[in-house]
Amino acid sequence: MTPVEILGGILAAVTLLAGVFVVTSKVPIHAACFLILTLCGVAATYVVLEAHTLAVLQILVYAGAIVVLIVFVLMLLGSGPKDTEEVKASVPVLSGGALAMTLLAIFGVSMFLERDTVAAANLPASYGELEPIGRNLLGPYVFSFELISLLFMVAIIGAVALLRAKPAKTEEETEK
Amino acid sequence: MTPTLDIFLFLSIGLFGLGAFGVLIRRHALLMLMSVELMLNAVNVAFVTFARRWGGAEADAAQIFVLMIMGVAAAEAAIGIAIVVSIFRARGHVNVDESSELRG
């Protein structure tokens, strides 16, 4: 067990445990906090896999923007004591969980029987740094860069258009 | 002994399964959105793992693709939250089990 594997094991355990709490928390704000922990665990995984810029961007974009937006909206929707949500332990839930555990156990066992995904060594010296990503974004992959900018513009226009409409006042109009 | 990256693939599968489970189980629309974010992160972990394993030109493409997935997740979270707030304005709750007028 090399240090990469041990560190990866600890990170995977922490991230998966936080993910379990995201999915099964009763209070929505608790789920958001565990989501932050999960996303930071994934960023730490990127650091172990030597993709440093992606780790920083993961923290900035996911934990720093998306989860903050989710927490804002959770506060806006107002989650009081009556808004807790229980994951009922019904038959579909338990059978789905059992199936998932079985599949994970099969994969886990096959992991130790046939070790295949070797950490290769043919990476360039500037593998996880910002400069190759910038050169690629403006070089070979400029088309996807422009498309993602178009997607952001559409998302901004869509969000503003969705939230600009006033709440429906159809009851007052039908009374008149 | 050369290290293997199977544990990161295990993490990717586990996160994806948890996210899918969360989307199916949760009734609060924002909690379903959080589970979708878990699934997208699982895919990103798989991409970065295979980029580390294979190297070369595919590693650059994998990092760019991970950035694109992050961008798509951000845009989708923004639009999804706008939709959730619109539903909340119209109904006063975001329980997807009780929002079943379109069901045949």
Side-chain angles (χ1 to χ4, degrees):
Chain A
M1 295 286 273
T2 60
V4 167
E5 290 179 352
I6 296 176
L7 196 54
I10 297 173
L11 276 174
V14 168
T15 311
L16 283 175
L17 194 61
V20 168
F21 283 123
V22 169
V23 166
T24 62
S25 280
K26 280 194 288 191
V27 181
I29 294 290
H30 294 179
C33 294
F34 283 117
L35 184 66
I36 292 178
L37 182 59
T38 309
L39 298 173
C40 291
V42 171
T45 305
Y46 292 168
V47 171
V48 171
L49 290 171
E50 301 188 27
H52 313 292
T53 315
L54 284 178
V56 172
L57 287 173
Q58 164 92 6
I59 301 269
L60 272 174
V61 168
Y62 269 114
I66 293 181
V67 175
V68 168
L69 182 61
I70 289 178
V71 169
F72 278 171
V73 178
L74 276 175
M75 290 293 157
L76 181 69
L77 300 187
S79 48
K82 58 177 169 47
D83 291 315
T84 58
E85 175 177 326
E86 295 228 19
V87 178
K88 292 193 288 281
S90 56
V91 171
V93 171
L94 288 178
S95 56
L99 179 63
M101 297 286 247
T102 312
L103 292 174
L104 272 180
I106 291 175
F107 185 74
V109 167
S110 74
M111 236 170 68
F112 290 106
L113 288 179
E114 184 178 318
R115 310 174 69 81
D116 184 51
T117 320
V118 181
N122 58 342
L123 292 171
S126 63
Y127 168 57
E129 296 182 14
L130 187 56
E131 191 202 344
I133 293 181
R135 285 187 185 281
N136 278 321
L137 274 179
L138 294 175
Y141 301 104
V142 64
F143 187 57
S144 47
F145 178 63
E146 300 295 336
L147 277 183
I148 200 82
S149 316
L150 189 62
L151 178 73
F152 283 147
M153 192 177 72
V154 168
I156 290 173
I157 294 175
V160 170
L162 272 173
L163 295 174
R164 197 171 56 91
K166 295 190 179 57
K169 289 188 167 58
T170 52
E171 294 184 10
E172 294 176 15
E173 289 168 2
T174 53
E175 276 175 355
K176 285 180 186 167
Chain B
M1 181 178 110
T2 50
T4 62
L5 300 176
D6 296 322
I7 189 66
F8 300 111
L9 289 183
F10 188 77
L11 169 67
S12 173
I13 292 179
L15 273 179
F16 191 86
L18 280 171
F21 189 64
V23 167
L24 292 172
I25 285 305
R26 295 297 213 171
R27 295 181 300 278
H28 197 284
L30 278 175
L31 293 172
M32 292 171 78
L33 262 173
M34 285 191 225
S35 306
V36 171
E37 298 298 327
L38 275 187
M39 281 198 277
L40 290 167
N41 272 287
V43 171
N44 281 349
V45 167
F47 267 113
V48 174
T49 305
F50 285 119
R52 175 73 176 84
R53 189 259 179 273
W54 293 108
E58 289 91 6
D60 289 336
Q63 288 184 311
I64 302 295
F65 205 77
V66 165
L67 281 179
M68 297 300 134
I69 295 176
M70 277 189 204
V72 165
E76 166 232 343
I79 293 288
I81 286 175
I83 293 175
V84 165
V85 170
S86 300
I87 292 176
F88 181 74
R89 277 184 186 171
R91 294 161 189 274
H93 67 85
V94 283
N95 196 341
V96 295
D97 276 354
E98 297 173 16
S99 312
S100 60
E101 279 86 9
L102 280 179
R103 185 178 298 167

